[in-house]
Amino acid sequence: AQKITQTQPGMFVQEKEAVTLDCTYDTSDPSYGLFWYKQPSSGEMIFLIYQGSYDQQNATEGRYSLNFQKARKSANLVISASQLGDSAMYFCAMREIYTGANSKLTFGKGITLSVRP
Amino acid sequence: DGGITQSPKYLFRKEGQNVTLSCEQNLNHDAMYWYRQDPGQGLRLIYYSQIVNDFQKGDIAEGYSVSREKKESFPLTVTSAQKNPTAFYLCASSIQASGTYEQYFGPGTRLTVT
C-alpha cells in the first residue's frame, strides 16, 4: 500500500491567490513526521515545512501552512498569496519513527503547481 | 555559505562503465543519503549513512555502492550491474538520522547512460 498519496493532477492557481495541495498518508506508527518539499525545474529539493504527529498546532512557515488532520491522515499544504516563483513540483514525505526502517523519508509522487500571472 | 554540493550536474556514460557521483556537505551533519528520482516519480532511497565509516542499504541499493570515509563526503558509485542507471540522483544530509530532522538536498546530478 502507498504510504504517501498525492493524487491531484497538475494544479493551476492565479497569482496572489491561495492554493491547497493535498497529501494523505498511511502509517500505524504513533510517532511520525510529515514534510513538504518544493522542487523547481532546476531539480533541487527545497524543504518547506514540517509537522510532527504530536504537534498540537498546524505548522506555519511564512506563506506556507500545513492543514494537519490526524484522524483523516491528511497533511495538506496551503500556499497563500501565490507567486510566479511558486511554480514547481511539490512533494509530501513522511518519516516514521518506530516502524520506519533505515531513517528514510517516504515520498509521494508529487504535484505540479503552475502559477498564472 | 553552508550547503551540499554535487558534481557534475550532468554526466554521460557508456553502458558497462562504472561512474562515481560526488556529494560534499559543509553543514557538519552526521547523516547523509542518496536518492534516485525517475521522471514523474518521487524519490527512492538508495543508501544512507548515519556516521563516518558506516552505511546501510536503502530500498534500491542493488547496482550501487557507497563509501563514507569522511564526515563531509558520501560518494555514490553506479556500477555496470545497475540495469537502468539513467536517472536524476540527489544527495541529502541531516543533523542526525534519528528523530524527525529535515533533510537538506544538493542540486542533483542527472546521469545518462547510453
Side-chain angles (χ1 to χ4, degrees):
Chain A
Q2 280 187 330
K3 290 205 177 253
I4 297 287
T5 302
Q6 296 180 264
T7 57
Q8 289 169 304
M11 293 286 289
F12 294 86
V13 64
Q14 204 67 33
E15 194 178 8
K16 299 180 185 177
E17 292 184 350
V19 63
T20 297
L21 306 181
D22 295 342
C23 172
T24 59
Y25 60 92
D26 183 28
T27 181
S28 57
D29 197 320
S31 183
Y32 52 90
L34 296 156
F35 303 79
W36 276 91
Y37 284 86
K38 171 185 177 181
Q39 187 178 42
S41 57
S42 60
E44 186 171 357
M45 298 285 282
I46 302 167
F47 167 71
L48 296 177
I49 197 167
Y50 163 78
Q51 180 83 43
S53 58
Y54 291 118
D55 292 343
Q56 295 297 314
Q57 294 187 330
N58 287 344
T60 60
E61 287 287 347
R63 294 187 299 111
Y64 304 107
S65 61
L66 204 150
N67 183 2
F68 180 47
Q69 297 187 46
K70 193 171 182 177
R72 297 179 60 184
K73 294 189 176 178
S74 74
N76 299 339
L77 177 71
V78 180
I79 304 174
S80 63
S82 296
Q83 301 172 356
L84 295 178
D86 293 335
S87 295
M89 281 281 286
Y90 288 81
F91 290 92
C92 179
M94 177 173 65
R95 168 97 195 284
E96 296 163 294
I97 305 304
Y98 298 121
T99 59
N102 303 330
S103 303
K104 72 174 183 179
L105 286 176
T106 301
F107 285 84
K109 294 190 175 182
I111 302 168
T112 301
L113 175 66
S114 299
V115 180
R116 292 171 167 153
Chain B
D1 287 323
I4 301 174
T5 57
Q6 291 185 245
S7 60
K9 190 168 180 63
Y10 298 95
L11 192 53
F12 298 89
R13 281 293 183 270
K14 293 289 187 184
E15 194 172 327
Q17 292 179 335
N18 291 353
V19 59
T20 297
L21 282 58
S22 167
C23 177
E24 304 278 331
Q25 56 100 356
N26 61 3
L27 300 168
N28 200 33
H29 286 174
D30 283 330
M32 297 187 73
Y33 311 82
W34 274 105
Y35 291 89
R36 169 184 172 136
Q37 185 179 27
D38 293 288
Q41 300 295 315
L43 279 63
R44 292 182 291 167
L45 183 68
I46 304 173
Y47 267 97
Y48 76 103
S49 168
Q50 298 185 72
I51 200 167
V52 174
N53 293 322
D54 176 75
F55 49 83
Q56 282 81 40
K57 294 180 179 179
D59 295 323
I60 54 166
E62 185 176 350
Y64 299 98
S65 66
V66 293
S67 63
R68 186 88 186 275
E69 297 176 2
K70 298 187 299 182
K71 188 175 186 177
E72 304 80 22
S73 179
F74 190 41
L76 173 74
T77 297
V78 184
T79 75
S80 57
Q82 168 51 231
K83 294 179 182 176
N84 296 297
T86 295
F88 187 52
Y89 291 88
L90 285 155
C91 178
S93 72
S94 64
I95 293 174
Q96 54 183 272
S98 60
T100 52
Y101 296 102
E102 63 267 30
Q103 294 181 10
Y104 294 91
F105 286 79
T109 292
R110 199 167 297 277
L111 173 65
T112 302
V113 177
T114 57

